[in-house]
């Protein structure tokens, strides 16, 4: 099981381009095929990862690892997801003395990679909305309108106020208590 | 390097990044100014004009920009032990915080107040994900080709059961192929210009 955790997060660490949110579908994919968490539990994990300082992908990995294998599981997941970047950064530092950002092959790779990452994040948003029973696919039947309104309020606050995501998560938690409790 | 100085520098790396780490809410970008300050002013580890290069590397490789920056600086100063010390320094505090929060959550997740709070929080998480998509979309999608790539990828993600890693690889390869064509075109036009000039 620990070996499985290590391999899983090592693999994710290897391709974690474009900030942590793009990695959420990957983490979900692995977490589900290993039966580590349900998607709802994973959403809660991501909420906690977003509330805490540090990279969201690493935080989610640590949460999953802790849930599956306690402290040792958490340590293994943290190391596994950080290890590939460490190796790659060291290799680059070793071979590249002066970095040329323009016209290198890297910028070509990112030309195609970034739109895919964007699609992956949009997919993550749709997928999480479905898995949390907020929408049921493309149709408008059984839409949880209260949650949809919450999503748009939170999004508007992110876009138009300078409030940090941490505060928005806390406010939405408060709103949840007021509306549902 | 003298051994005692080296050990002192390793501790310095560890604690410098250890102190920055807990304020890095919302991914790495918020802490870049703090990082810059710590490595160029407080400790003269990197020259001001070199920090831009370090950030380019940190952004272009997988992983969090903050962690990668720490690793890179650690490596430049003390080699592999430095890279490890800096990386451990920056991930340890957030690791402790997330483990503490996770164990709290696992203990209280069946409490009705916590449960209702998390129903609200789920909406905020989805908003955060959409926000992340908008942010990266602004730099990623800037012409017809990139919009088509994004739309095709989204349709595939939604309707085909495929491992996301595979799609990321395809995206990178498509990026290279598209630009190769562009490069060849450019070469051709240059040659054509030459021919016309001669004529």
């Amino acid at each position: 099981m620990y070996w499985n955790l290590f391999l899983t997060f090592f693999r994710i660490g290897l391709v974690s381009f474009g900030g942590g949110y793009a990695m959420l579908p990957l983490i979900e994919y692995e977490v589900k095929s290993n039966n580590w968490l349900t998607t709802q539990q994973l959403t809660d994990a991501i909420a906690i990862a977003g509330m805490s300082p540090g990279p969201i992908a690493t935080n989610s990995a640590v949460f999953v690892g802790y849930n599956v294998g306690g402290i040792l599981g958490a340590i293994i997941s943290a190391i596994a997801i950080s290890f590939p970047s460490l190796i790659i950064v060291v290799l680059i530092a070793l071979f590249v003395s002066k970095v040329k950002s323009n016209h290198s092959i890297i910028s070509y790779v990112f030309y195609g990679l970034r739109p895919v990452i964007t699609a992956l994040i949009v997919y993550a948003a749709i997928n999480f909305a479905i898995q949390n029973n907020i929408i049921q696919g493309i149709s408008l039947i059984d839409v949880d309108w209260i949650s949809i309104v919450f999503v748009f309020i939170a999004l508007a606050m992110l876009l138009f106020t300078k409030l940090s995501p941490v505060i928005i998560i806390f406010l939405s938690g408060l709103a949840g208590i007021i509306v549902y409790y | 390097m003298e051994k005692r100085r080296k050990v002192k520098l390793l501790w310095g790396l560890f604690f410098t990044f250890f102190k920055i780490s807990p304020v890095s809410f919302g991914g790495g970008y918020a802490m870049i100014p703090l990082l810059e300050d710590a490595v160029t002013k407080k400790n003269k580890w990197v020259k001001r004009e070199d920090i831009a290069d370090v950030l380019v590397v940190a952004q272009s490789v997988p992983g969090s920009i903050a962690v990668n920056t720490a690793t890179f600086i650690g490596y430049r100063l003390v080699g592999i032990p430095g890279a490890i010390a800096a990386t451990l320094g920056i991930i340890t505090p957030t690791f402790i915080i997330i483990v503490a929060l996770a164990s709290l959550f696992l203990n209280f997740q069946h409490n009705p107040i916590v449960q209702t709070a998390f129903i609200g929080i789920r909406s905020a998480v989805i908003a955060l994900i959409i926000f992340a998509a908008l942010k990266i979309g602004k730099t990623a999608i800037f012409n017809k080709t990139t919009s088509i790539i994004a739309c095709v990828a989204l349709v595939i993600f939604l309707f085909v059961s495929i491992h996301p890693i595979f799609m990321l690889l395809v995206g990178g390869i498509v990026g290279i192929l598209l630009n190769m064509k562009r490069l060849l075109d450019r070469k051709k036009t240059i040659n054509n210009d030459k021919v016309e000039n001669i004529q």
Side-chain angles (χ1 to χ4, degrees):
Chain A
M1 180 189 73
Y2 291 124
W3 180 237
N4 207 355
L5 270 178
F6 183 86
L7 274 184
T8 299
F9 287 118
F10 186 87
R11 212 157 45 207
I12 293 172
L14 209 52
V15 292
S16 59
F17 293 102
Y21 284 102
M23 292 309 105
L24 297 180
L26 259 85
I27 293 177
E28 195 208 347
Y29 190 96
E30 301 285 352
V31 158
K32 270 189 160 171
S33 58
N34 286 297
N35 277 326
W36 284 334
L37 295 177
T38 66
T39 307
Q40 276 209 5
Q41 283 175 308
L42 186 63
T43 316
D44 294 344
I46 292 157
I48 288 166
M51 271 188 261
S52 324
I56 196 120
T58 315
N59 287 351
S60 310
V62 170
F63 189 104
V64 172
Y66 182 77
N67 215 351
V68 175
I71 293 281
L72 188 59
I75 292 173
I76 287 171
S77 306
I79 290 174
I81 204 167
S82 313
F83 201 43
S85 318
L86 185 114
I87 298 170
I88 294 169
V89 169
V90 165
L91 283 178
I92 287 182
L94 201 62
F95 291 115
V96 185
S97 52
K98 199 82 185 165
V99 187
K100 292 186 192 73
S101 56
N102 49 339
H103 291 295
S104 63
I105 192 122
I106 290 181
S107 66
Y108 296 158
V109 171
F110 275 108
Y111 182 83
L113 188 58
R114 284 218 180 94
V116 177
I117 291 171
T118 310
L120 193 54
I121 304 177
V122 173
Y123 166 68
I126 296 172
N127 195 28
F128 277 103
I130 293 175
Q131 300 291 344
N132 286 296
N133 294 318
I134 293 173
I135 51 172
Q136 320 284 336
I138 319 163
S139 73
L140 289 177
I141 309 158
D142 282 335
V143 173
D144 176 358
W145 290 108
I146 299 176
S147 293
I148 296 277
V149 170
F150 274 8
V151 170
F152 279 105
I153 293 174
L155 187 60
M157 287 170 87
L158 285 166
L159 286 170
F160 304 117
T161 68
K162 295 257 177 225
L163 288 178
S164 101
V166 185
I167 292 172
I168 289 170
I169 290 176
F170 274 111
L171 288 177
S172 64
L174 217 59
I177 295 173
I178 293 167
V179 173
Y180 296 105
Y181 187 63
Chain B
M1 206 186 297
E2 187 196 337
K3 202 180 171 199
R4 262 185 64 193
R5 241 198 85 206
K6 199 169 160 181
V7 172
K8 214 182 140 202
L9 194 51
L10 286 176
W11 278 112
L13 278 166
F14 182 85
F15 279 114
T16 299
F17 292 117
F18 191 93
K19 274 185 286 185
I20 298 173
S21 172
V23 285
S24 63
F25 285 101
Y29 287 95
M31 66 192 286
I32 298 297
L34 285 172
L35 253 174
E36 242 186 278
D37 213 50
V39 300
T40 57
K41 276 192 205 151
K42 284 188 196 125
N43 304 284
K44 302 257 182 284
W45 287 337
V46 182
K47 282 188 206 135
R48 252 211 117 68
E49 59 266 30
D50 285 346
I51 193 85
D53 278 354
V54 175
L55 291 178
V56 168
V57 172
Q59 261 180 313
S60 318
V61 302
S64 133
I65 181 164
V67 180
N68 291 341
T69 307
T71 310
F72 195 90
I73 291 166
Y75 181 80
R76 278 221 178 145
L77 286 178
V78 210
I80 290 179
I84 294 173
T87 308
L88 284 179
I90 206 160
I91 66 176
T92 305
T94 51
F95 175 84
I96 295 169
I97 293 169
I98 193 86
V99 167
L101 283 175
S103 66
L104 265 180
F105 176 74
L106 293 176
N107 282 323
F108 290 102
Q109 60 179 336
H110 300 298
N111 175 303
I113 295 183
V114 172
Q115 278 179 336
T116 49
F118 270 86
I119 296 176
I121 287 173
R122 273 170 206 159
S123 300
V125 170
I126 290 165
L128 278 172
I129 301 174
I130 298 173
F131 184 59
L134 290 176
K135 259 200 307 193
I136 192 165
K138 256 191 247 167
T139 56
I141 299 168
F142 49 84
N143 58 17
K144 226 188 240 169
T145 318
T146 44
S147 344
I148 292 170
I149 297 174
C151 289
V152 171
L154 181 61
V155 170
I156 292 175
F157 283 133
L158 283 173
F159 300 109
V160 186
S161 175
I162 199 170
H163 200 292
I165 289 181
F166 177 75
M167 284 300 295
L168 291 174
L169 284 176
V170 171
I173 292 167
V174 166
I176 294 176
L177 290 178
L178 285 171
N179 283 290
M180 271 222 234
K181 189 172 168 281
R182 188 169 300 172
L183 266 184
L184 293 175
D185 285 350
R186 196 181 297 161
K187 258 187 198 161
K188 243 185 243 162
T189 50
I190 291 170
N191 287 339
N192 286 345
D193 284 349
K194 272 185 196 157
V195 173
E196 276 164 24
N197 284 341
I198 292 166
Q199 284 168 346

